[in-house]
Amino acid sequence: MIALLSLVLLAVPGCRKYEQVRILSGKLESVKMNGLRGADIMLSVKVDNPAGKIVLEDVSGQVKHSGKIVGNVVLAPLTVNARTIADYQVTATVALESGVSLLYLMNFADPKKLKECTIDLSVKGKVAGVRLKRQFKDIPLKKLLEEKYYEKI
């Protein structure tokens, strides 16, 4: 989830200052299961934002395995204040597609299976008052979990 939020913040276009927005730390605070099909996840993250205000209004994605959608993730709206280093609570809802079981997801512990996982991501919001809409397709989940990936975006 923290890797996903990092990607979202890197999606913010604009001046050089926005390229310097970083997540300094993150911690999983809670996971509340919604039956066997989903979960509400809460994270605390420390964000260094030397740039203007960032408002993430609609962030959602689909996780795919070998092209098949296995789950959806939606982040709650988040505002990152301008020119601050601050802590934020980030909440996300994760839901499995029908026909996908928890047992099926356990296969992703195998690195070979994880290589076949990708995520599509949609980001809508405002940057310094200007509307933002970005789409990412087929981002390798394995690479998203590696810190080096962010330097290439």
Side-chain angles (χ1 to χ4, degrees):
M1 246 344 129
I2 293 171
L4 180 63
L5 183 60
S6 294
L7 177 64
V8 168
L9 289 175
L10 285 170
V12 175
C15 72
R16 271 208 182 278
K17 290 274 186 197
Y18 285 103
E19 294 173 6
Q20 297 171 7
V21 175
R22 298 179 298 141
I23 293 182
L24 302 175
S25 64
K27 179 181 172 188
L28 178 64
E29 294 292 338
S30 68
V31 176
K32 179 184 169 197
M33 296 301 295
N34 294 328
L36 296 176
R37 311 272 342 128
D40 292 327
I41 300 170
M42 180 175 284
L43 306 165
S44 60
V45 294
K46 180 173 276 204
V47 179
D48 176 5
N49 180 11
K53 183 177 175 180
I54 301 169
V55 178
L56 302 174
E57 297 169 341
D58 181 9
V59 179
S60 60
Q62 294 181 320
V63 179
K64 299 185 287 187
H65 178 253
S66 298
K68 174 187 172 188
I69 297 171
V70 295
N72 298 288
V73 61
V74 177
L75 270 60
L78 174 68
T79 299
V80 178
N81 295 320
R83 292 171 285 290
T84 60
I85 297 176
D87 294 311
Y88 297 92
Q89 295 292 315
V90 180
T91 57
T93 300
V94 179
L96 295 179
E97 283 288 301
S98 60
V100 176
S101 68
L102 290 175
L103 185 60
Y104 180 82
L105 291 182
M106 290 183 149
N107 289 322
F108 299 151
D110 178 357
K112 291 177 186 174
K113 297 278 186 186
L114 190 60
K115 285 182 183 178
E116 299 168 5
C117 293
T118 60
I119 188 166
D120 293 345
L121 186 64
S122 170
V123 179
K124 295 177 187 171
K126 294 179 187 173
V127 178
V130 177
R131 284 261 169 231
L132 161 74
K133 183 176 180 181
R134 299 285 300 264
Q135 299 279 333
F136 298 92
K137 294 286 186 192
D138 296 322
I139 300 166
L141 198 55
K142 186 170 172 44
K143 288 187 179 182
L144 184 60
L145 299 173
E146 298 172 0
E147 197 171 314
K148 295 177 204 170
Y149 180 72
Y150 303 112
E151 297 169 3
K152 298 177 185 175
I153 296 177

